[in-house]
Amino acid sequence: MDPPKKICIVGSGNWGSAIAKIIGVNAAVNPKFNTTVNMWVFEEMVNGRKLSDIINTHHENVKYLPGCKLPANVLAVPDLLEAASDSDVLVFVVPHQFIIKVCDTIKGKVKKEALGVSLIKGVDTSTDGLKLISGIIREKLGIAVAVLMGANIANEVAEENFCETTIGCRNQEHGALLKELMQNQNFRITVVSECDVVEICGALKNVVAVGAGFSDGLGFGDNTKAAVIRLGLMEMIAFARIFCTAGPVSPATFLESCGVADLITTCYGGRNHRVAKAFVTAGKSIEELEKEMLNGQKLQGPVTAAEIHHILQHKNLLDKFPLFTAVYRICYQGQSIKHFISCLQNHPEHM
């Protein structure tokens, strides 16, 4: 029998702490996994104490997931190299803006046969065009990487409310191992092979959620928000068909938790929706609201809108994605929020 696999969770924010709770419980009882689960914590002081010390003493991330007890076998490690270097499974769950720095820190120091899984919702742009976060990890570290995306608001997962999620993984054996590591009776996982589509869904739904927040902030009702969600889903599918070149894009993947379910929950309950709604009503910038409302967490929707705007502009496709374009222009170019509804009224019927 193979030695038990060592697990490292790379990140310890709201979502990282929630998934650590599930992984810690599973690793403690499954002989396939080492009992101790490392969780890399970006060290900071909370009420005069190191956050890692608080987590290891009280088994609670008091800053990012207060009120949720973590299993005692989840060990907060403030040194990234120490946390990750000997691990067999690396669970990446940091804001997507930081993934390159994280990978550069551990490049050449992790096992070649290690398996990565990205829970990070976002994309990166370069002169070559679109880069998926899983692709960056794969290139930087030289390891196999799967993705996990779904309708998974972290606090609800931590409270053990029933939900579903999707793992995108081309290797069936890897997908089965990750499902065993992360599934429980209240966190149900489906594994699909279209990992690029799964990841694109996880990134783009945050842009649509900003639009849903705009709609609510403007005082429109559920009919309008339903239109935002439907038109946003159309743009997500159209974007995936253009940029996911690894294979055919199946409509069925958009019916998994990573697609329509994640889109709906984010447009009603996620941080991107909440901040976008406040943007309309509070008269403050996105940056100001992020600092005021998110307790150190990062907002993904506006940044992703900027990144895909860069890609679409380069490909001369802005007119084909009016909702994505409107979100970008309102957030970054000072376009009046009043113009948002016109992007819906003039949206093409077919894409």
Side-chain angles (χ1 to χ4, degrees):
M1 185 175 177
D2 293 334
K5 296 186 182 299
K6 295 181 178 179
I7 312 300
C8 175
I9 300 166
V10 182
S12 57
N14 189 234
W15 186 207
S17 298
I19 203 68
K21 180 180 177 181
I22 294 174
I23 289 174
V25 170
N26 286 352
V29 298
N30 189 326
K32 286 187 181 179
F33 305 110
N34 192 288
T35 302
T36 300
V37 174
N38 285 350
M39 180 171 72
W40 173 59
V41 173
F42 181 80
E43 194 69 279
E44 52 190 309
M45 302 301 289
V46 179
N47 298 324
R49 292 184 64 191
K50 292 179 179 179
L51 181 57
S52 62
D53 289 344
I54 296 172
I55 293 171
N56 288 333
T57 303
H58 300 287
H59 308 297
E60 180 184 352
N61 188 335
V62 294
K63 179 163 185 181
Y64 295 110
L65 196 63
C68 173
K69 281 293 179 183
L70 298 175
N73 60 315
V74 173
L75 178 67
V77 181
D79 184 285
L80 176 55
L81 265 178
E82 181 187 339
S85 59
D86 198 33
S87 297
D88 300 293
V89 180
L90 296 161
V91 182
F92 292 91
V93 55
V94 295
H96 82 273
Q97 300 96 313
F98 303 140
I99 191 60
I100 291 175
K101 184 177 180 181
V102 163
C103 287
D104 284 342
T105 301
I106 59 176
K107 184 177 181 180
K109 305 292 175 61
V110 298
K111 294 179 178 179
K112 293 288 186 188
E113 64 275 16
L115 171 61
V117 55
S118 172
L119 280 61
I120 301 168
K121 295 178 175 178
V123 293
D124 187 61
T125 55
S126 67
T127 51
D128 301 326
L130 176 74
K131 275 202 170 183
L132 298 174
I133 301 303
S134 64
I136 293 171
I137 299 169
R138 198 176 292 116
E139 284 178 22
K140 291 274 186 183
L141 303 184
I143 63 174
V145 184
V147 297
L148 182 148
M149 306 281 155
N152 309 140
I153 292 175
N155 289 53
E156 296 183 14
V157 173
E159 290 166 6
E160 301 181 22
N161 294 349
F162 176 78
C163 66
E164 299 177 310
T165 199
T166 311
I167 286 177
C169 186
R170 293 190 184 95
N171 182 306
Q172 288 186 344
E173 187 177 325
H174 290 167
L177 179 73
L178 293 172
K179 182 173 181 174
E180 201 167 339
L181 177 65
M182 290 189 274
Q183 178 168 268
N184 64 28
Q185 64 179 0
N186 288 318
F187 192 68
R188 188 166 67 184
I189 295 173
T190 301
V191 181
V192 301
S193 61
E194 289 184 348
C195 45
D196 289 358
V197 179
V198 171
E199 189 167 4
I200 282 286
C201 285
L204 298 184
K205 58 94 184 185
N206 284 325
V207 182
V208 184
V210 173
F214 289 162
S215 177
D216 282 350
L218 288 164
F220 292 97
D222 286 339
N223 290 348
T224 305
K225 187 148 75 170
V228 172
I229 292 171
R230 190 189 76 83
L231 295 170
L233 180 60
M234 285 176 61
E235 292 194 14
M236 288 168 60
I237 294 170
F239 190 96
R241 285 178 171 160
I242 293 169
F243 293 99
C244 292
T245 56
V249 173
S250 166
T253 303
F254 292 90
L255 298 178
E256 296 291 347
S257 183
C258 63
V260 67
D262 196 9
L263 180 60
I264 291 169
T265 196
T266 309
C267 286
Y268 277 88
R271 70 185 76 158
N272 292 280
H273 167 265
R274 286 189 288 113
V275 173
K277 183 178 178 181
F279 176 77
V280 180
T281 56
K284 297 180 180 179
S285 71
I286 292 286
E287 292 78 10
E288 288 175 302
L289 292 166
E290 181 182 59
K291 288 176 184 174
E292 287 179 14
M293 298 176 65
L294 298 185
N295 190 34
Q297 296 177 68
K298 292 296 180 183
L299 200 64
Q300 302 298 329
V303 177
T304 302
E307 288 163 341
I308 63 171
H309 184 271
H310 173 80
I311 297 164
L312 294 172
Q313 189 171 43
H314 182 69
K315 298 276 190 181
N316 200 28
L317 290 171
L318 291 178
D319 290 345
K320 304 248 183 223
F321 296 87
L323 192 151
F324 291 169
T325 301
V327 168
Y328 168 77
R329 288 175 175 165
I330 291 166
C331 288
Y332 292 103
Q333 294 188 329
Q335 185 176 74
S336 171
I337 190 71
K338 294 176 183 176
H339 290 297
F340 179 68
I341 296 302
S342 66
C343 90
L344 308 181
Q345 293 167 335
N346 299 313
H347 203 284
E349 292 183 20
H350 303 285
M351 297 188 71

